[in-house]
Amino acid sequence: MTGLGTMVNCVAIVAGCAVGLILKKGFPEKWQETIMYGVALSIFLIGVEMAQKSQNVVLVIASVVVGSVVGEMLDLDGKLNRFGVWAERKLLGDRQQVAGTFGRAFVSASLLFCIGAMAIVGSIEDGLTGNHQILFAKATLDCILSMIFATNMGAGVALSALPVGLYQGSITLLASWMQNLMTPEIIREVSATGGILMMAIGIVQARLAQIRLANQIPALPVAVLLAKLFL
C-alpha cells in the first residue's frame, strides 16, 4: 500500500506524544531537563554525521545561506509560530500552555521529524517500490523522540504529525517524477544540508542559542536546485 510508511510514521508521533504527556507527571523536572540535553546532543551528533557526508561543502554553505535569506524574507518561522498559537487556542481553549510553548513544540518537532535522509529516501522508496522498511525504522525513532519531546514541551509535538504527513506523503506521491531529479549525488548533498539544520535544532534544544529554525527550511530545496545545476 503506497503511503503506508508515512501513515505509520504519523501515528507513531501522536502515540509517542500521548505517552510522553502521561509520563510527564511522573518525571521529575531535573530528569526531563537532563534527558532533553541528552537528546539535543544526540541530534547535534546526527547532524554532524550527516553534514560530513557532503563532497561539496561550498554547495552546502551556499544552500544554507541562500535558503536562510529566502526563509527570512518569507518569515516562515513567524508564520509557523502563529499557526501554532492559533492551533493552541482552538485545540486547548482555556487549558492553553504558557504562551508560545505550544508553537515552539510544533515547530521544533516538525523540523526534527521532516529533516533528514530517512524522510527523503524512505518516502521515495515507499512511492517507487512499495518498500516501507526505512519509514518504519524512522517511525520507531520518531515515536521515541516524540515521547521525550512531549515530556518537556507539551502537546504541540503531536501536531507535527500534520507537516510530516504532508511532506513525506507529497514526496511519495511525486516519487516517479523525482526519480530523475533525486540522484544519489543530489540526495547526499541535500542530506548534508539537512545535517546543518539538524545541528541547529540540537543547539536550540540545548538552549545554547535562539535560532529561527523554520527560516532555514528553504535551504533544502535550494540544495536540490544547486546540486542539479552544478553536480
Side-chain angles (χ1 to χ4, degrees):
M1 176 182 173
T2 301
L4 178 62
T6 293
M7 287 188 283
V8 170
N9 200 166
C10 293
V11 171
I13 290 172
V14 175
C17 180
V19 173
L21 292 175
I22 294 173
L23 293 178
K24 183 177 182 179
K25 298 179 180 179
F27 266 42
E29 185 175 345
K30 64 178 183 179
W31 287 22
Q32 297 180 37
E33 184 176 299
T34 301
I35 291 173
M36 199 62 219
Y37 278 127
V39 172
L41 293 172
S42 299
I43 292 171
F44 186 85
L45 177 60
I46 293 172
V48 170
E49 291 180 344
M50 289 172 59
Q52 287 179 333
K53 294 178 180 179
S54 172
Q55 295 184 11
N56 194 324
V57 177
V58 174
L59 187 149
V60 172
I61 294 173
S63 299
V64 172
V65 172
V66 174
S68 296
V69 170
V70 173
E72 287 292 338
M73 292 174 63
L74 297 175
D75 189 25
L76 296 179
D77 194 83
K79 288 182 172 65
L80 283 175
N81 274 297
R82 286 192 291 273
F83 173 73
V85 172
W86 173 83
E88 180 180 4
R89 289 198 301 266
K90 293 294 183 181
L91 296 176
L92 300 182
D94 295 334
R95 296 177 290 109
Q96 292 182 28
Q97 300 177 39
V98 176
T101 302
F102 191 94
R104 287 196 299 273
F106 165 64
V107 171
S108 297
S110 296
L111 286 171
L112 177 62
F113 298 147
C114 288
I115 293 172
M118 293 182 77
I120 298 173
V121 177
S123 298
I124 292 174
E125 282 287 307
D126 193 347
L128 292 180
T129 67
N131 180 6
H132 313 302
Q133 295 308 309
I134 296 177
L135 289 183
F136 285 168
K138 179 178 181 293
T140 302
L141 177 61
D142 288 356
C143 182
I144 296 171
L145 291 174
S146 178
M147 180 177 65
I148 295 174
F149 265 47
T151 61
N152 289 272
M153 304 178 74
V157 175
L159 192 61
S160 65
L162 178 59
V164 168
L166 293 174
Y167 174 68
Q168 293 182 182
S170 297
I171 294 177
T172 297
L173 292 175
L174 296 172
S176 59
W177 171 76
M178 295 180 67
Q179 185 176 17
N180 296 325
L181 175 65
M182 300 297 286
T183 63
E185 292 77 16
I186 293 177
I187 291 177
R188 182 189 65 229
E189 299 306 325
V190 172
S191 296
T193 304
I196 301 295
L197 273 63
M198 291 275 287
M199 293 166 63
I201 294 173
I203 290 173
V204 170
Q205 293 305 319
R207 301 173 187 172
L208 297 177
Q210 290 298 319
I211 302 173
R212 290 182 289 275
L213 296 172
N215 287 349
Q216 295 183 331
I217 292 177
L220 296 175
V222 169
V224 173
L225 177 61
L226 295 180
K228 188 67 176 177
L229 291 174
F230 298 108
L231 294 184

